[in-house]
Amino acid sequence: MKKLVLFLVMSVVSVPAQTGTHAGQSRASEPSTPLILGGGHGFPGRIQGPPGPSPVTDLLKLLFENVNSAEAAANVRKIWENDRWFDFAHFQKTAENVADMMRQAGLDDVQIGYAPADGTTQAGFWTEPMAWDAHAGTLEIVSPKVPEDMRVLADYQRVPASLCMWSGPTAPGGVETEIVLPPKDVQHADLKGKLVLGGRMSKIALAKAGALGMIHESATNPALLDERDWVNSFGDNGWAFNKGNAPLVCFSITPRSQQYLHQLLEHGPVKVRANVDTRYYSGKYPYISGAILGTDGSAAEEVFSLGHIFETGAGDNATGFSSILEATATLNRLIKEGKLPRPKRTIRILAMGERYGTLSYLYAHQDRVKRTIAGMCIDSPAGLQNLAGTEYNWVLNPQSATSFVDAFVLRIAAEYFPAVDRPTRWSEYNSGTDNDLGDPMINIPTVAPRGGHGIQAHHTSFDTPSQVDQNSLRDLSVMNAAYAYFIASAGPDQMRWMAQLALSRGYDQINAATDRSLAQIAEARNAADLGRLLYWETARVDYNLARESKAVEQAADLPQGLKNLASFASLQKTRIDDAVQQRATGLHLGVIQPAVPSINPEAEKIVVRRKRMGTLTMDNIPVNQREGYPASSFWGPTTAALYWCDGKRSLAEVVKMTELEMGQSNFDWVGYFKFLQKHGYVDFVQQ
């Protein structure tokens, strides 16, 4: 009830923005008022605006005055109108449309590339999905007799999200069947030819039991009574549908319909007619790239921006690519008008399917990847700014790949967002998308903005262009354009400035970590805790010094600055040691020595070498054959450990780095990496 009341309040607040163009939207497309940097208000705990101008100030003003967010919004709608059908025939049309958009923006080197959509080919360890087309998908109640407005539970032609992506077909013309609730014992239940309603049932188990398929109960936002979740994960062992996976039928219904079905089932059987016309085939999965070519020629370094397409939502994620396209179109226009010089490095943009398209591009263009020095991934809604939770959080690189671009993007954000009176914040790395190009095997330091929908609508039919704010699109475009252009144009002076930003952030990070260490020491109650803290927190200082120094060195050579940073780090270690001994004295304990953790001797002998770029989906291993070990498709301790494996560190060192980044655990690291070796994911250089 509390959730419903909250949603209703939010809905009332947002009605003007949903039903018409609100004042903020009209201003966004006519940026006649000059940007006044340094204004706005501060937000405790968030990024604060620095005083005074900087080398990026004039660029931000110019971009703010020239970005056309109305054009970006029009592109959002154009992409969404086609992608909301989310099958591969429509993906091809979207790819052609996007390539035309790039050409109309005057971009160079516009290309459509293809990954094989055959369900077997791998990019990294991600198995490319089977191509899939959908023509019809309806689910109607046959009995008992129900009111007409409740009879049709799903209709792909009316609401595309009614049909799950990669749903299998029914027999031509459809079938009449029964809806049943999830059984406690699937193996002995009578499910043959039936549709199972809700529950977290194993797709493989349902297929073995002979079920026709499943009906997904929408739970993303139950208050959206007449919207439905978009189900785009339908593989047997992972995200996408691979060759040989079970072709079950799958529908997604609204919270109102699922409540009604449960009421009907309480009184007896419910029979339905299901008709699904879909097909699986070996096809092509397109990705599109375009560029502003740099003056350094064909061997120029590159700066890279990527946004996803081929998803059913406007906010997730037609907005991401549309904001990047507008950023790049604005830069190109300003260059041709003589208001900006052409950058020395190439600025390249990519539109593709999430993960599968990105990894295919990286493998197909490894020469470009080696020359790419920075990236930005925009996989974020451009939410209505009158709703809470739509501000942008800047996600930085993993700590195994700390970069000067982390400090740089925060400096731009600190200057830009207070000027438009918007809060912003940052967070440590957390990937559920393609911002993982900082992976040391890929080595493109990549940052990513993450905003919210305001109303929880991720992967639902509610995610339409009416939920997109042109001001939010403007902010994404300005930030992306400033980031890409400044790095692409940077000469020695600009690189030294960015190195100084990274150096300042190094001081901040070491100091902040020391403050947290001192707080833990003040709460310690015994010698064991103090010994543990003395070891880990002094190790943390060395860890932070190493990664922050690396970030500085990426941009420029500042030997004296790094020497001073090392001296500062040494002082923090002294502070930690002094605090531990003083706390011990207060607790009437003796001198505390670092409590060095026990190390698995086998881990000291193993050196792991990764075999391919990207994370590990394990989508070629059934879940029940994974020996209890997790897949590492997205971010978590196992992915962090994978990133620290450089073919030189021992596994013991990798585990230490991982625990400094992610926290200590009792995970069986030796067993996990032996499992990976056995299945061909990694090699052991020595053992």
Side-chain angles (χ1 to χ4, degrees):
M1 180 60 71
K2 289 181 180 178
K3 289 182 179 178
L4 178 59
V5 170
L6 177 60
F7 168 74
L8 290 174
V9 170
M10 292 172 71
S11 298
V12 170
V13 171
S14 63
V15 161
Q18 293 179 36
T19 56
T21 301
H22 67 286
Q25 288 176 313
S26 61
R27 286 198 301 270
S29 59
E30 301 172 3
S32 55
T33 304
L35 182 66
I36 302 174
L37 294 171
H41 47 76
F43 294 84
R46 293 171 174 164
I47 301 171
Q48 303 295 316
S54 76
V56 79
T57 300
D58 290 342
L59 177 62
L60 284 170
K61 289 180 179 178
L62 182 65
L63 292 169
F64 178 83
E65 292 163 1
N66 284 276
V67 159
N68 186 345
S69 58
E71 180 69 17
N75 286 334
V76 167
R77 178 168 287 279
K78 187 181 295 185
I79 292 169
W80 173 81
E81 286 283 6
N82 201 60
D83 272 355
R84 67 195 186 101
W85 301 99
F86 58 87
D87 72 354
F88 281 64
H90 284 90
F91 292 167
Q92 178 61 34
K93 181 61 177 176
T94 294
E96 294 167 2
N97 290 342
V98 165
D100 285 343
M101 292 175 191
M102 289 185 183
R103 294 187 186 101
Q104 289 167 14
L107 299 191
D108 303 309
D109 197 23
V110 175
Q111 299 177 357
I112 300 179
Y114 292 95
D118 57 8
T120 58
T121 300
Q122 289 193 322
F125 286 108
W126 287 70
T127 305
E128 296 290 340
M130 289 285 293
W132 173 85
D133 285 346
H135 302 288
T138 57
L139 183 65
E140 305 168 85
I141 298 175
V142 174
S143 67
K145 187 174 177 59
V146 298
E148 182 59 27
D149 62 344
M150 299 302 295
R151 182 179 63 82
V152 179
L153 299 170
D155 186 344
Y156 173 75
Q157 291 297 332
R158 289 172 54 191
V159 182
S162 298
L163 188 65
C164 306
M165 189 170 180
W166 289 298
S167 169
T170 61
V175 296
E176 190 170 305
T177 186
E178 185 179 343
I179 293 178
V180 296
L181 294 173
K184 293 181 179 179
D185 183 359
V186 177
Q187 290 183 341
H188 298 95
D190 178 16
L191 299 180
K192 190 171 182 59
K194 298 178 181 178
L195 288 170
V196 179
L197 174 64
R200 291 186 171 272
M201 305 293 295
S202 162
K203 181 171 173 252
I204 296 175
L206 289 179
K208 287 181 178 179
L212 174 66
M214 58 184 71
I215 301 173
H216 173 82
E217 294 186 317
S218 298
T220 298
N221 189 341
L224 297 174
L225 286 173
D226 295 310
E227 306 295 341
R228 62 196 78 215
D229 292 350
W230 176 49
V231 178
N232 72 325
S233 178
F234 208 53
D236 287 8
N237 303 314
W239 180 355
F241 189 96
N242 298 151
K243 190 171 184 178
N245 284 185
L248 296 184
V249 168
C250 184
F251 294 101
S252 178
I253 63 173
T254 68
R256 189 186 303 278
S257 290
Q258 64 202 42
Q259 292 171 14
Y260 188 63
L261 278 178
H262 280 280
Q263 292 171 2
L264 292 178
L265 287 166
E266 289 177 359
H267 295 91
V270 175
K271 292 188 176 181
V272 291
R273 170 162 287 279
N275 181 30
V276 180
D277 181 5
T278 59
R279 73 178 183 113
Y280 305 105
Y281 59 100
S282 181
K284 298 186 295 184
Y285 203 179
Y287 56 81
I288 314 94
S289 64
I292 297 174
L293 297 178
T295 58
D296 281 356
S298 59
E301 293 181 328
E302 299 198 358
V303 179
F304 184 71
S305 297
L306 65 158
H308 302 144
I309 49 178
F310 310 146
E311 300 192 27
T312 199
D316 187 30
N317 186 34
T319 56
F321 173 71
S322 296
S323 63
I324 290 170
L325 179 61
E326 179 54 33
T328 314
T330 300
L331 289 173
N332 201 41
R333 188 168 62 250
L334 292 170
I335 290 166
K336 291 183 176 180
E337 292 172 355
K339 295 178 181 178
L340 285 175
R342 183 170 291 274
K344 59 185 295 187
R345 301 175 182 89
T346 290
I347 296 172
R348 191 172 299 277
I349 65 174
L350 179 68
M352 73 300 168
E354 188 171 0
R355 305 310 297 139
Y356 301 100
T358 304
L359 284 164
S360 293
Y361 173 88
L362 294 176
Y363 273 95
H365 299 282
Q366 294 186 51
D367 56 333
R368 288 181 190 167
V369 171
K370 292 174 183 176
R371 301 196 310 270
T372 304
I373 66 168
M376 181 181 288
C377 171
I378 303 184
D379 181 8
S380 172
L384 300 170
Q385 292 192 357
N386 61 338
L387 297 180
T390 57
E391 64 269 20
Y392 291 113
N393 174 58
W394 292 89
V395 182
L396 307 183
N397 283 277
Q399 293 182 6
S400 54
T402 301
S403 170
F404 74 95
V405 304
D406 297 332
F408 176 59
V409 78
L410 297 185
R411 180 61 176 79
I412 307 174
E415 193 162 346
Y416 176 74
F417 283 100
V420 294
D421 213 25
R422 287 289 289 166
T424 190
R425 63 180 73 233
W426 69 272
S427 70
E428 294 287 0
Y429 179 76
N430 185 5
S431 174
T433 183
D434 287 317
N435 63 318
D436 64 350
L437 304 189
D439 169 354
M441 277 200 77
I442 302 171
N443 198 31
I444 302 175
T446 301
V447 297
R450 293 271 182 83
H453 294 266
I455 297 170
Q456 179 56 269
H458 178 253
H459 281 196
T460 71
S461 56
F462 189 70
D463 183 6
T464 65
S466 66
Q467 304 304 310
V468 174
D469 193 320
Q470 288 188 25
N471 281 341
S472 294
L473 280 172
R474 173 204 65 196
D475 295 343
L476 286 173
S477 294
V478 171
M479 284 292 296
N480 178 248
Y483 175 91
Y485 182 81
F486 192 89
I487 296 175
S489 302
D493 290 343
Q494 291 76 29
M495 294 304 292
R496 276 193 294 273
W497 177 63
M498 289 189 284
Q500 290 287 358
L501 291 177
L503 183 62
S504 295
R505 179 168 169 78
Y507 280 100
D508 291 342
Q509 290 294 286
I510 291 170
N511 189 59
T514 300
D515 284 347
R516 290 191 292 271
S517 300
L518 296 175
Q520 293 179 68
I521 291 166
E523 291 295 312
R525 292 289 185 266
N526 54 59
D529 287 347
L530 286 170
R532 178 181 55 81
L533 287 167
L534 181 57
Y535 173 81
W536 281 105
E537 301 314 305
T538 53
R540 192 176 309 281
V541 175
D542 291 333
Y543 168 83
N544 285 330
L545 173 64
R547 66 188 187 87
E548 298 298 340
S549 297
K550 177 185 173 184
V552 175
E553 291 167 343
Q554 263 188 358
D557 186 18
L558 301 179
Q560 187 59 50
L562 290 179
K563 182 178 178 181
N564 294 341
L565 184 65
S567 297
F568 178 76
S570 180
L571 288 174
Q572 306 319 302
K573 290 167 71 175
T574 300
R575 290 178 68 197
I576 290 169
D577 184 75
D578 288 348
V580 166
Q581 304 309 332
Q582 289 169 13
R583 180 61 176 159
T585 299
L587 293 172
H588 306 291
L589 303 172
V591 175
I592 300 297
Q593 299 296 327
V596 180
S598 60
I599 299 173
N600 185 330
E602 197 172 0
E604 292 185 291
K605 298 175 183 177
I606 294 173
V607 175
V608 178
R609 180 174 59 207
R610 296 171 61 192
K611 298 175 75 170
R612 302 181 194 173
M613 291 188 286
T615 54
L616 306 179
T617 65
M618 297 190 189
D619 60 14
N620 59 335
I621 305 176
V623 175
N624 62 3
Q625 295 178 25
R626 295 178 185 173
E627 300 178 21
Y629 293 117
S632 301
S633 305
F634 295 106
W635 187 238
T638 53
T639 300
L642 198 69
Y643 287 177
W644 285 110
C645 293
D646 61 356
K648 299 176 183 178
R649 295 185 181 94
S650 71
L651 182 53
E653 292 173 303
V654 166
V655 171
K656 181 179 179 180
M657 296 294 116
T658 303
E659 293 191 336
L660 284 165
E661 182 171 12
M662 305 294 291
Q664 297 167 54
S665 73
N666 294 318
F667 186 70
D668 178 13
W669 290 107
V670 170
Y672 175 70
F673 276 95
K674 283 186 172 181
F675 174 83
L676 296 184
Q677 182 201 35
K678 180 173 69 175
H679 288 277
Y681 293 117
V682 300
D683 286 330
F684 286 176
V685 178
Q686 64 184 50
Q687 184 175 0

